[in-house]
Amino acid sequence: MKNPAVCKSCGAENPLYQLTCAKCKSYLRERVVNIDLWDLLALLLHSPSEAFRLIIKAEHKNFIFFILLFTAVKFTINSAFIHLIIKKNEPVLNNFFLNALVIFGALCFIIVMFTFSLKLILKSAGWVTRFRD
């Protein structure tokens, strides 16, 4: 386990994301319920490792829907520009919202499958993880 959270009461090593010690049930760190998206984006630019530590410790990852939605719109716009280059005489934005919805669904599916497979791989290696991380 890399960078474990060490309990101050009993000295037991716990996973970084753990709120309480598995051995003595004392608190390992402060509780992070929600994180602010804009502060997180600024922290990602300034100190990515601290930002990812904050994401791991957060109980609610309420920003993922927002990021996936904007990513789907970005990919839809990119595909519209590629479509303009390849097929010059056809209309591009006929089904913009439908295309964005399909891309959003595909992104959600890819993330869930990647997370599930990564959890299985890490479990076979003996690492304890949470699915939502």
Side-chain angles (χ1 to χ4, degrees):
M1 183 178 338
K2 192 170 182 173
N3 297 328
V6 178
C7 179
K8 294 177 184 172
S9 298
C10 66
E13 289 186 357
N14 294 281
L16 181 64
Y17 58 81
Q18 197 77 23
L19 180 62
T20 58
C21 178
K23 189 174 182 182
C24 69
K25 303 294 182 205
S26 63
Y27 284 100
L28 297 171
R29 59 175 173 80
E30 71 280 353
R31 188 172 170 210
V32 180
V33 180
N34 288 327
I35 49 179
D36 184 31
L37 176 66
W38 303 112
D39 290 341
L40 180 69
L41 291 176
L43 191 60
L44 276 170
L45 293 173
H46 178 66
S47 176
S49 60
E50 284 299 316
F52 283 112
R53 256 191 220 104
L54 185 63
I55 291 171
I56 289 171
K57 290 179 181 179
E59 293 177 25
H60 302 288
K61 279 99 170 122
N62 51 3
F63 54 87
I64 194 70
F65 179 79
F66 179 73
I67 291 173
L68 285 177
L69 186 65
F70 278 109
T71 305
V73 170
K74 178 195 178 297
F75 285 161
T76 304
I77 292 171
N78 288 350
S79 67
F81 282 119
I82 292 170
H83 184 80
L84 277 174
I85 293 170
I86 295 173
K87 299 181 179 183
K88 296 180 180 177
N89 295 330
E90 292 183 22
V92 176
L93 298 176
N94 282 349
N95 298 319
F96 182 80
F97 293 110
L98 181 62
N99 291 344
L101 185 65
V102 168
I103 292 174
F104 177 75
L107 286 172
C108 290
F109 179 75
I110 289 169
I111 287 179
V112 167
M113 293 310 294
F114 176 76
T115 305
F116 182 70
S117 60
L118 187 63
K119 181 168 177 58
L120 289 177
I121 291 169
L122 291 177
K123 186 176 181 180
S124 68
W127 289 34
V128 178
T129 61
R130 295 184 300 183
F131 183 75
R132 65 182 177 175
D133 289 335

